[in-house]
Amino acid sequence: MTKLHSATTSLPLTGGLPFRRFIRILFPLAALLLLPALAAAATDDPLRRGATDQLKVEAASLLRKGDADTAYEMYKRLLRSAADDDEVCLGLARSATAAKRWNQSVLAYEMLLERHPGEAGLYGELANVYMLIGDKEAAERSLVMQRALAGKAGQDADRTLDALERRYDQFQIHGKLRAGLLYDSNVNMGPNSEDMDLGNWRVKVEDADRKGSFGAYLGADLDLGWRPLRDSGWWLVGDAKGFWRGYENSDLHDSLHSRESQWGRAALGARHVGSKTLLDLRFKAEIFDFEFLQHVAGIGPEASFLYALTPSIQLISSAGLDSRTYSESKERNGGYGWIGEYLRFFFGQDNHEFIVGGRFLGAATNRDDYSYEGWEGSARFLFKLPHGVELAPFASWTQEYYHGPATILETENRFDNRWRLGASATWRLDEAWALELAYQYTSNDSASPLYDYTQHLVTAGVSWSF
């Protein structure tokens, strides 16, 4: 071994360099040549790759849950170690949009489009971001590219741009007009007969029995919103609504003065929209009137709060308080209020809805007999079917406990159990027009025969939204 070593180390190489000098020069060169390969090997390391995949799953989960800020910071860290990962780049773009970091979102989308210039969907998402920062020209260019890649006409891009502009405008206005026909089996919500037992007395209450009728209706809704600052979550909001209903049965006019009725409402307030929350506070004024002869007016605050527990589950709280004035029944004047809690679930590929919950009811009136406490439980589905059809079955159960009897002839306090069952169907013909059909059955079982009634209500009409 010693001789072999001696012979080897004394062996000259080409150019007269000894072997040890050659090694000292070759090693750094080899290291430089091997460095990219070593870095690639480090990137392909199974442990490192597994950790990156786990972080991507966690970031995507945070984004789905609405925690955009945390997801954005996580995607930023991932980008440093996985800059060529398209999934990371797309997650960064979308989380930056949700976190209102518009410039970072634009950069991330542009990075993706450099790698995938043929992805029409990316241009559409980028157009949304450009509209959020108020760059209409850049949004238009993105939409033109999207439509060109999708093989659609430029006119479609113009319409899409107009829709985006309306969506992201700081002033929002939406409304609906509707009209149709109806049949109400019990317009006055009266019992089956004029003859009834009130306490120990058998009496006849004229015109108290139920009266059915065909009729027609008109309605209008208007919702307004103004956001003073583009990047703010606060909005000034308001609404104005009206409804008219008329019947063909002349008995309703001659004896009850309720052949037609009107309802109107106006409200003004503020709304805050966050990544997982929505708070809406308003002050409203309402009036319900029969033939402009007798009416009920109410004013007061109302509030609702929505919290997204997960992307598919929302918790909704609501409350309201009215000070009501009756033109014909001063003893009913007073305060009426409610407070409720509901859960909304989204399910299925078409995002069907199910909402269930309940609320407490109460009234404190001038005459204590008309004061009450109660509660209401309700459930409602919304199924989104093919061809623009939506079906919404619903049910509710209400109990009201009054502080006194319904009439002076009775000794038992009034107590009502009320069921409402029904469904509505909407067929959306296009973005504006829709056909509407609805049915509702009501059964009120009361301790007082005067308030025992059943009712079938059917409506069919057309609506136009803007």
Side-chain angles (χ1 to χ4, degrees):
M1 292 294 292
T2 304
K3 291 182 178 179
L4 180 59
H5 177 72
S6 176
T8 304
T9 53
S10 61
L11 184 66
L13 295 175
T14 304
L17 290 174
F19 183 70
R20 290 179 181 176
R21 271 186 77 188
F22 177 75
I23 290 295
R24 286 198 297 268
I25 295 172
L26 181 62
F27 182 79
L29 289 174
L32 289 173
L33 292 173
L34 288 173
L35 189 59
L38 291 172
T43 303
D44 291 336
D45 178 69
L47 292 177
R48 185 187 184 92
R49 188 169 61 249
T52 300
D53 290 342
Q54 186 176 357
L55 287 174
K56 286 195 297 184
V57 170
E58 185 175 351
S61 177
L62 287 169
L63 185 57
R64 285 195 303 272
K65 291 177 180 177
D67 192 352
D69 291 318
T70 307
Y72 171 73
E73 295 298 330
M74 187 168 291
Y75 276 120
K76 272 204 317 183
R77 294 196 299 271
L78 279 166
L79 191 67
R80 297 189 188 103
S81 59
D84 295 331
D85 192 317
D86 292 339
E87 185 180 350
V88 170
C89 198
L90 182 60
L92 179 66
R94 290 175 173 171
S95 61
T97 302
K100 299 181 180 180
R101 301 173 184 268
W102 318 127
N103 293 329
Q104 291 87 338
S105 179
V106 168
L107 289 173
Y109 277 118
E110 288 180 346
M111 285 172 56
L112 277 171
L113 286 169
E114 284 182 4
R115 304 174 194 168
H116 307 283
E119 288 291 332
L122 293 177
Y123 282 105
E125 294 186 30
L126 180 58
N128 278 280
V129 182
Y130 277 131
M131 288 302 298
L132 286 168
I133 60 178
D135 193 341
K136 183 179 177 181
E137 293 182 0
E140 186 174 11
R141 290 195 299 270
S142 296
L143 287 173
V144 168
M145 286 297 298
Q146 180 193 25
R147 296 292 178 175
L149 291 168
K152 297 182 179 179
Q155 186 178 1
D156 292 334
D158 293 338
R159 285 199 294 266
T160 305
L161 181 63
D162 292 339
L164 280 176
E165 191 170 16
R166 290 193 299 270
R167 177 180 175 185
Y168 295 119
D169 196 352
Q170 288 177 255
F171 179 73
Q172 299 280 332
I173 178 169
H174 303 285
K176 178 184 286 189
L177 300 174
R178 57 192 184 278
L181 303 175
L182 62 88
Y183 173 74
D184 191 334
S185 70
N186 193 348
V187 177
N188 59 319
M189 293 179 288
N192 292 332
S193 172
E194 295 180 345
D195 298 317
M196 62 190 76
D197 295 322
L198 298 179
N200 296 322
W201 299 85
R202 181 72 174 178
V203 299
K204 181 176 182 177
V205 183
E206 292 188 1
D207 297 317
D209 61 328
R210 64 181 181 181
K211 292 175 173 57
S213 179
F214 288 94
Y217 68 88
L218 298 171
D221 299 343
L222 185 66
D223 291 288
L224 306 171
W226 178 60
R227 181 167 55 179
L229 300 174
R230 178 175 291 274
D231 294 338
S232 173
W234 283 101
W235 291 77
L236 294 177
V237 294
D239 65 79
K241 302 180 182 186
F243 191 81
W244 172 87
R245 181 163 47 187
Y247 297 98
E248 54 82 25
N249 188 342
S250 60
D251 289 343
L252 294 168
H253 170 72
D254 297 336
S255 58
L256 300 174
H257 300 291
S258 59
R259 190 174 182 181
E260 63 173 316
S261 61
Q262 306 83 31
W263 170 81
R265 163 196 163 103
L268 187 66
R271 174 187 295 160
H272 184 269
V273 181
S275 60
K276 299 175 68 174
T277 60
L278 185 149
L279 174 65
D280 193 287
L281 304 169
R282 304 190 189 204
F283 189 85
K284 66 174 182 178
E286 291 182 278
I287 187 167
F288 184 84
D289 181 273
F290 286 111
E291 297 189 1
F292 300 104
L293 294 174
Q294 49 186 332
H295 64 263
V296 182
I299 59 172
E302 61 182 18
S304 59
F305 177 74
L306 182 149
Y307 178 72
L309 298 171
T310 71
S312 58
I313 302 177
Q314 296 176 348
L315 182 66
I316 304 171
S317 307
S318 66
L321 181 64
D322 295 343
S323 176
R324 295 183 190 174
T325 303
Y326 288 74
S327 63
E328 299 295 322
S329 303
K330 304 298 184 182
E331 63 274 9
R332 295 178 183 268
N333 293 353
Y336 294 75
W338 77 94
I339 182 169
E341 200 72 37
Y342 301 87
L343 275 175
R344 176 188 286 161
F345 302 89
F346 298 93
F347 60 96
Q349 293 183 346
D350 295 318
N351 228 23
H352 308 298
E353 296 180 26
F354 174 58
I355 183 168
V356 62
R359 60 177 182 165
F360 292 102
L361 313 167
T365 62
N366 286 350
R367 181 176 168 182
D368 195 48
D369 288 349
Y370 294 104
S371 300
Y372 66 86
E373 290 84 34
W375 72 280
E376 177 187 82
S378 62
R380 185 181 185 91
F381 282 97
L382 176 61
F383 297 107
K384 299 177 182 179
L385 306 178
H387 308 296
V389 176
E390 294 182 352
L391 180 63
F394 61 88
S396 70
W397 183 33
T398 306
Q399 290 188 320
E400 294 170 345
Y401 302 85
Y402 288 80
H403 294 185
T407 67
I408 60 173
L409 300 178
E410 298 171 273
T411 58
E412 182 182 354
N413 286 358
R414 180 182 168 188
F415 167 59
D416 287 10
N417 277 307
R418 184 166 53 255
W419 276 101
R420 282 196 176 98
L421 304 169
S424 64
T426 303
W427 180 20
R428 302 192 182 280
L429 305 176
D430 56 30
E431 292 183 359
W433 291 94
L435 299 178
E436 299 176 335
L437 178 66
Y439 167 75
Q440 177 179 282
Y441 168 74
T442 304
S443 175
N444 197 74
D445 181 17
S446 177
S448 172
L450 190 62
Y451 294 96
D452 265 336
Y453 70 89
T454 59
Q455 180 190 45
H456 301 270
L457 177 64
V458 180
T459 62
V462 61
S463 68
W464 177 68
S465 302
F466 61 91

